[in-house]
Amino acid sequence: MKGCIFDLDGVIVDTAKYHYLAWKKIADEFGFVFTEKDNERLKGVSRMASLDILLSIGGVHLSEGEKLQVADKKNEIYLGYILKMTPDEVLPGVLTFLKTLRDQGIKISLGSASKNAKTILHQVGIENLFDAVADGTNVSKAKPDPEVFLKGAELLNLSPADCVVFEDARAGIEAAHRAGMKCVGIGDSVTLREADIVVGGFLDLSIEKGKLKIINNGEILNF
Ligand code: BG6
Ligand code: MG
């Protein structure tokens, strides 16, 4: 493992809740119910693809122009939340994990579908910990396409096989595997069962001599 590539939403910060609130406001205005369970289908999915899923849930049909307007509106609502984010919203254990990677000479990239990624990293004060950012501004194909992770590896000047991905979405795990990378699932072990290993969060992980270690059982991963 020479490089680590991190998804953003749900891995570094819990912005999934802000995406949900913003999409819910749109659904409310159209007059249909959008639940947290529905929101699972939007995780890791690009903004326009998320809108298509949302509209299919509500049975709403819009022209391409109308869709762009609704997507812009959702993003304005979302920005209202993320521009209030503070460094204490970085998820538990992430900061120590990122700093340990740096100390041990392992390169770090972001690998996110979001066009707001840099704004969020800046808002929570961790942009300096990243050697590269692959996000919705320099990548066009959404996960499960591997493009975002291949871009992350390329920006780090590493071959894909030397990179490990950290993901909370099934589409992201598939994207990592299609990129030829191992994937650590962050979250629920049933939902993320396709990952090479699943942990609840970064407090469950440490780095020892450049290798990942599961804290509770001392297992060292041969990634
Ligand atoms: C992903 C989120 O990281 O980014 C998705 O998991 C979101 O829920 C996507 O739709 C695009 O984000 P943004 O910020 O460009 O609308
Ligand atoms: Mg995610």
Side-chain angles (χ1 to χ4, degrees):
M1 181 177 79
K2 294 182 183 158
C4 287
I5 306 183
F6 294 84
D7 174 48
L8 176 66
D9 296 316
V11 168
I12 303 243
V13 285
D14 184 18
T15 35
K17 66 185 177 206
Y18 300 136
H19 280 296
Y20 172 63
L21 291 171
W23 285 127
K24 191 174 174 329
K25 209 162 198 167
I26 299 290
D28 287 347
E29 284 177 18
F30 279 109
F32 67 87
V33 177
F34 175 61
T35 66
E36 284 194 61
K37 187 160 177 271
D38 294 328
N39 191 52
E40 283 300 309
R41 294 175 56 195
L42 274 50
K43 286 188 179 171
V45 178
S46 72
R47 191 181 306 169
M48 293 312 289
S50 295
L51 175 61
D52 282 336
I53 296 171
L54 184 90
L55 295 176
S56 74
I57 291 168
V60 176
H61 300 278
L62 298 179
S63 68
E64 289 307 309
E66 288 167 331
K67 279 191 199 173
L68 286 172
Q69 279 181 3
V70 175
D72 280 352
K73 185 165 183 193
K74 180 268 172 176
N75 197 50
E76 265 175 43
I77 302 166
Y78 181 63
L79 279 169
Y81 291 113
I82 63 174
L83 290 174
K84 289 194 201 100
M85 286 180 82
T86 53
D88 62 0
E89 288 187 63
V90 176
L91 287 169
V94 169
L95 216 51
T96 305
F97 191 79
L98 292 175
K99 286 181 179 161
T100 311
L101 287 176
R102 285 191 82 85
D103 289 347
Q104 299 197 17
I106 296 168
K107 300 255 187 71
I108 303 173
S109 175
L110 197 76
S112 166
S114 175
K115 289 186 162 69
N116 295 300
K118 283 192 177 149
T119 306
I120 295 169
L121 292 182
H122 175 74
Q123 225 20 69
V124 299
I126 59 169
E127 75 257 66
N128 294 339
L129 293 172
F130 286 79
D131 299 298
V133 174
D135 64 12
T137 64
N138 54 7
V139 163
S140 60
K141 294 188 203 124
K143 301 168 190 175
D145 190 284
E147 187 187 16
V148 69
F149 295 135
L150 292 172
K151 183 79 182 176
E154 182 196 315
L155 292 171
L156 295 176
N157 283 317
L158 292 175
S159 63
D162 290 331
C163 297
V164 173
V165 167
F166 297 82
E167 254 296 344
D168 72 317
R170 296 184 66 186
I173 294 169
E174 187 183 333
H177 286 157
R178 282 168 64 181
M181 301 174 185
K182 296 278 191 207
C183 184
V184 178
I186 305 291
D188 175 60
S189 58
V190 177
T191 314
L192 306 180
R193 58 188 171 274
E194 277 99 5
D196 297 282
I197 183 109
V198 180
V199 293
F202 287 93
L203 293 176
D204 299 335
L205 280 177
S206 66
I207 312 283
E208 214 169 271
K209 294 185 192 144
K211 293 209 179 269
L212 288 169
K213 183 177 172 186
I214 309 289
I215 289 178
N216 69 358
N217 62 10
E219 185 189 350
I220 308 249
L221 301 176
N222 206 19
F223 287 179

